[in-house]
Amino acid sequence: KMVVSAGYLMSTPCVSGLIRMKKAFGGIILTASHNPGGKDEDFGVKYNGANGGPAVSIVTDKIFELSKKIEKYKITKEVPDFSNDKVGSYKFGTMDIEVVDAVQGYADMMKRIFDFDKIKKFVSREDFSMVYDSMHGVAGPFAKKIFGEELGMDSKVCLNSEPKEDFGGGHPDPNLTYAHDLVETMGLGEKKSETVPEFGAAADGDADRNMILGKKFFVTPSDSLAIIVDKAQECIPYFKDGLKGCARSMPTSGAVDFVAKEKKIKLHEVPTGWKYFGNLMDANELSICGEESFGTGSDHIREKDGVWAVLAWLSILANANAEDGKKLVGVEDVVKAHWAKYGRNYYTRYDYEGCTKEAGNTLFDTMRKKIAEKDYKALEKYSQFKLKNGDEFEYSDPVDQSVAKKQGIRLVMEDGSRVIFRLSGTGSVGATVRMYIEQYSKDKLDSVPAEALKPLIDFALEWSDLKKITGKEGPTVIT
């Protein structure tokens, strides 16, 4: 039996939920994710397992081995006779085909998690306004259904909501560089808008990632995760009995660590990759998790979920504004109240895209050698930092006992500040070197991040010799 969505388009979180609801063996996703599709761009075939999450390494390794033994394949000349825009059941030979309304199914799932009546009352306030930028990805139909039909907001809330195979010529990556329409609308661009919405969010191409903005205010993904974990039990009915645990990817800032410690919630640190979260969820060890790369989600599915994150924030704002007649508590107010309680993790990520794989490998081999030889001479001129340890992150999965090696170079200072390097080869061309810089402060809460982090950035570039080895004078994207 094959299950497809009316119109064929589904978001990645929707696919995950549908696999779980139908108790399917798995799901095949044809996706360009946040890269344009087509023969000249980055298009992929992805397999999710029966739990709804990305297939684990044991499965993908086996698929790869079997793929090398394929001798022939057959393609049918017949075309199934069914309407792909009409819900119903059809036959194709011995195969059953079920066409479902995936958008409605996803909306129903969200209504079981969140208090839609409470959110609807909040978003109807005259002093509240928002925009949601689908960036011409598959989030559009889901946004119009939930924010428009279910929550009663004006259609103008949904920007770039028509899915396009080339994403309208844009690059649907929800960050400050590529989500330029939203950035300008929210008053963070070069153009100064007279009217700026109170809340803004963006999705990537397959709608599993999110960016959260307030009026002229950017919320880092790491802070967003920490705030959702802090407020979940209080604001989201699905978590009314508390959290089983929380987790972050290793490069994500330690902001959520302080929340977990205060609330006595078990914390997990895993490599980058949602499958590691999925294993913990399947073992009943995890409720909410996130990555610094704009991915946030919970155990309702086994993928990150961009619309879920937006509804989580709307729930938090609705709760903060529960008293009628009071001045609006906005996104910036919520974030600054969080910093006042837990301190602030200043954080930035530099992406050096389009590096040659040879340069990337040379860079990391050089850093591994320096760690092995304890060569940290570059740190001598930065007396404010004392090295606690340098290593390469390795993760032993407590659920399936698999070991993930070479998951990132880490330099950790005694005050908790961190310098991290990761090499990613998932782009359409070459490799991407990612450098993460983090510094914690309990009381200095209003510094400009670029200024607060400059000494660590300068040290990281000098110690790694990144510019010389990669030939890159500066990052492609700064988050």
Side-chain angles (χ1 to χ4, degrees), residues 195-262:
T195 57
V196 178
E198 288 291 336
F199 181 82
D204 68 339
D206 61 340
D208 62 351
R209 293 190 296 143
N210 72 95
M211 177 170 67
I212 303 297
L213 299 173
K215 179 183 286 188
K216 301 180 182 179
F217 190 84
F218 168 64
V219 184
T220 70
S222 299
D223 279 341
S224 180
L225 170 63
I227 291 166
I228 292 173
V229 168
D230 187 39
K231 301 292 187 181
Q233 185 174 6
E234 177 186 354
C235 302
I236 303 172
Y238 182 81
F239 302 112
K240 67 181 187 303
D241 296 327
L243 305 186
K244 304 162 194 168
C246 61
R248 61 170 174 81
S249 63
M250 183 275 288
T252 302
S253 96
V256 73
D257 301 31
F258 293 98
V259 176
K261 183 178 180 181
E262 171 73 19

Side-chain angles (χ1 to χ4, degrees), residues 106-230:
Y106 179 83
D108 290 343
M109 179 170 62
M110 293 298 102
K111 289 165 77 173
R112 291 191 293 271
I113 295 171
F114 300 99
D115 185 341
F116 268 49
D117 289 337
K118 189 173 182 179
I119 296 173
K120 188 173 183 177
K121 179 183 176 183
F122 166 66
V123 299
S124 67
R125 286 180 58 138
E126 291 185 2
D127 56 355
F128 178 80
S129 55
M130 71 168 273
V131 289
Y132 182 85
D133 189 350
S134 297
M135 299 184 77
H136 291 300
V138 298
F142 297 87
K144 287 190 283 188
K145 175 67 178 177
I146 290 173
F147 302 127
E149 291 182 35
E150 298 289 351
L151 295 176
M153 288 189 256
D154 191 280
S155 60
K156 294 178 182 178
V157 162
C158 298
L159 305 178
N160 301 316
S161 58
E162 180 187 352
K164 295 183 178 181
E165 63 182 36
D166 65 348
F167 302 117
H171 185 73
D173 216 343
N175 58 45
L176 294 173
T177 299
Y178 293 121
H180 48 81
D181 286 356
L182 180 65
V183 170
E184 293 287 347
T185 300
M186 296 304 297
L188 290 169
E190 294 180 0
K191 298 178 182 177
K192 300 304 177 186
S193 176
E194 292 183 8
T195 57
V196 178
E198 288 291 336
F199 181 82
D204 68 339
D206 61 340
D208 62 351
R209 293 190 296 143
N210 72 95
M211 177 170 67
I212 303 297
L213 299 173
K215 179 183 286 188
K216 301 180 182 179
F217 190 84
F218 168 64
V219 184
T220 70
S222 299
D223 279 341
S224 180
L225 170 63
I227 291 166
I228 292 173
V229 168
D230 187 39

